[in-house]
Amino acid sequence: MAEASGTPLRQKAAGLLDSPFIGMSPWIVFSLFVGPGRFEWAVVIALTISIALVVVSRLLKPGGSLKILEVSDVVFFAVLAVIGALASPGTHRWLETYAGEVSNIALTVIAFGSMALHKPFTLQYARERVDPALWYSPAFLRTNYMITGVWGLAFLVAAIAGAFGDLVLHNPNNIWTGWIIQVLAIVAALRFTAWYPEVVRARAHGGPQHLPLAGLLLPLAGLLVPIGIAVLIFDGQLWWLGVTLIVVGSGLTRRLKQQNDRDGTQPAPAAGPDGPG
């Protein structure tokens, strides 16, 4: 297991690189920001983040493994940049409209493809956070299959939402298909990445066998309030829905927090899928 050395700040920065969310951040940024008139900027930002992640990872963790996701990041966005630079006006317009869905589909393929090859991509991140003795334990492997599968589903949902906005609504900037649904899918996967390993560890140490869903759902319920506010600001025709989301989000958050406190578990910060430890 690669260990970071140096100052606490350096060690903390190196620890952040052990989260699969960091490896997926260029794709997430790209899929959320690409659109008509924004393709070049989205590609440049995503490619810059991709290269920076590889460079910083090598500097902070020279003994660490080169991740599948890191390589995919650089290759995908470098190719997309070249295609965008050489594309005809018609192809360029197509890329502006559908590149977000292409990136989400590519991530879906990477997630489920890595599972089919018996190498779920989260394994590379998880193995840098746990004792090597756990690397081949059934619980550890099962945890990473679950988390990789959830990420694959999240990107599939994002791809479908984006495609619906483009092909059915003919509105790439639709607040629901272009932003809200996709953000909720990513946040749900991110929360699951932090929550599920804690559940597995608790079970391994004799904790409750039931799934404490309140801890999983609490951050998602909290998002309903800002979503409701966004609906009020950007979609005035659905003001009633915005108000409903704010009221329901506030009440549901309060109720889930009470349930979470009764379960004796607190929402954990986002962490790598390190399985039972």
Side-chain angles (χ1 to χ4, degrees), residues 116-133:
L117 295 173
H118 306 293
K119 294 182 179 179
F121 72 81
T122 59
L123 268 177
Q124 289 183 298
Y125 296 92
R127 284 175 173 170
E128 295 189 354
R129 301 176 69 91
V130 303
D131 191 315

Side-chain angles (χ1 to χ4, degrees), residues 94-164:
W94 188 93
L95 288 171
E96 287 185 327
T97 303
Y98 299 110
E101 287 80 82
V102 171
S103 67
N104 281 319
I105 291 172
L107 270 176
T108 303
V109 171
I110 290 173
F112 291 125
S114 68
M115 293 172 65
L117 295 173
H118 306 293
K119 294 182 179 179
F121 72 81
T122 59
L123 268 177
Q124 289 183 298
Y125 296 92
R127 284 175 173 170
E128 295 189 354
R129 301 176 69 91
V130 303
D131 191 315
L134 295 172
W135 285 7
Y136 300 101
S137 69
F140 179 76
L141 294 173
R142 184 169 56 251
T143 297
N144 280 275
Y145 273 101
M146 287 287 293
I147 293 173
T148 301
V150 167
W151 276 108
L153 288 174
F155 286 111
L156 180 60
V157 168
I160 293 173
F164 186 85

Side-chain angles (χ1 to χ4, degrees), residues 165-180:
D166 293 336
L167 298 174
V168 178
L169 302 180
H170 304 291
N171 181 11
N173 294 317
N174 181 272
I175 186 175
W176 290 98
T177 59
W179 294 87
I180 293 176

Side-chain angles (χ1 to χ4, degrees), residues 61-74:
K61 304 176 69 173
S65 60
L66 190 63
K67 309 294 192 304
I68 294 174
L69 224 52
E70 292 176 346
V71 175
S72 300
D73 292 349
V74 175

